[in-house]
């Protein structure tokens, strides 16, 4: 059983389109994250939700909108995709009881053409 | 604001060589420190962590790291690397109070030559 699962694994789309990436964790964690990893492997936090509440919102264009229907899910919707959005997006989850260790999904490689 | 610096961007070693990857952080309060590893084509996974207690922590696969509070450092070490250690290594810091925001360093690419 995959602890943190993301779909899709690959996403190729045209500029201007709207797309969503889904994330689910079955670890019982109360905090979930979205990270963006660029071509140089730099990993930057985008958002964090704790018990469905947004707690971290870094400087991210408002074309990116996270949604957490429940604490096991954190989806990322991106409007009007741009070339610079091409990256690998990682979902992660953690909990205080789990020692704040982040468990990452396999990543979604987004290519905007 | 917290930040993390990894000064070695790309390290190339022969098998059996010793490894030390530098990590320095800046944050005024108490921190939790982590090293994560990303093998080629895979997701990040925890290598080791420091929360409190013994500043020398041991992780998986023979890795260890030492927290030196006075130097704001948390360097990763391994006495003898293997080809399978080829990966990207990320140092991360989290403020131990308040929200669980984790800041990652820029990563160090380790290439081990057989």
């Amino acid at each position: 059983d995959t602890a943190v699962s993301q779909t899709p694994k690959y996403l190729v789309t045209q500029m201007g389109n709207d797309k969503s990436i889904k994330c689910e964790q079955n670890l019982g964690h109360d905090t979930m994250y979205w990270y963006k990893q660029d071509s140089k492997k730099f990993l930057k936090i985008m958002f964090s939700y704790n018990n469905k509440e947004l707690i971290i919102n870094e400087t991210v264009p408002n074309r990116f909108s996270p949604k957490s229907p429940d604490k096991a899910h954190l989806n990322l919707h991106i409007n009007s995709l741009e070339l610079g959005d091409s990256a690998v997006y990682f979902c992660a989850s953690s909990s205080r009881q789990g020692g704040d260790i982040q468990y990452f999904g396999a990543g979604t490689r987004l290519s905007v053409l | 604001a917290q930040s993390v610096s990894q000064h070695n961007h790309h390290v190339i070693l022969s098998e059996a060589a010793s490894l030390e990857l530098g990590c320095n952080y800046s944050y005024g309060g108490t921190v939790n420190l982590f090293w994560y590893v990303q093998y080629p084509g895979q997701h990040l996974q925890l290598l080791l962590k420091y929360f409190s207690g013994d500043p020398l922590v041991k992780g998986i696969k023979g890795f260890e790291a030492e927290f030196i509070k006075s130097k704001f450092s948390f360097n990763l070490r391994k006495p003898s690397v293997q080809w399978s250690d080829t990966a990207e290594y990320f140092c991360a810091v989290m403020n131990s109070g308040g929200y669980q925001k984790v800041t990652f360093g820029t990563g160090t690419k380790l290439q081990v030559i057989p």
Side-chain angles (χ1 to χ4, degrees), chain A residues 16-63:
Chain A
N17 284 350
D18 303 338
K19 291 293 177 185
S20 292
I21 308 172
K22 295 186 176 181
C23 179
E24 175 182 4
Q25 54 95 4
N26 62 6
L27 297 167
H29 290 165
D30 54 8
T31 306
M32 295 185 73
Y33 310 79
W34 276 111
Y35 289 90
K36 179 181 180 182
Q37 187 176 46
D38 62 24
S39 57
K40 296 183 179 178
K41 299 288 188 178
F42 182 58
L43 195 67
K44 184 170 166 44
I45 190 167
M46 301 173 69
F47 302 103
S48 175
Y49 271 73
N50 179 265
N51 285 318
K52 302 194 301 176
E53 298 290 328
L54 180 65
I55 57 170
I56 294 173
N57 184 354
E58 293 295 288
T59 309
V60 176
N62 56 15
R63 298 182 294 104

Side-chain angles (χ1 to χ4, degrees), chain B residues 44-87:
Chain B
L44 279 83
Q45 53 189 290
L46 182 73
L47 204 52
L48 48 78
K49 67 183 190 301
Y50 171 81
F51 285 2
S52 63
D54 189 345
L56 183 63
V57 292
K58 295 193 183 298
I60 60 172
K61 302 186 180 185
F63 285 90
E64 64 178 33
E66 185 175 11
F67 169 52
I68 303 179
K69 190 174 180 180
S70 60
K71 294 185 178 180
F72 297 91
S73 70
F74 190 54
N75 291 355
L76 181 71
R77 300 195 291 249
K78 185 170 183 179
S80 175
V81 294
Q82 300 172 308
W83 177 78
S84 58
D85 293 325
T86 294

Side-chain angles (χ1 to χ4, degrees), chain A residues 86-110:
Chain A
S86 295
V88 181
Y89 292 84
F90 286 100
C91 177
S93 71
S94 70
S95 70
R96 276 275 146 86
Q97 294 79 3
D100 292 315
I101 297 167
Q102 307 240 320
Y103 290 81
F104 285 82
T108 296
R109 183 174 292 277
L110 171 65

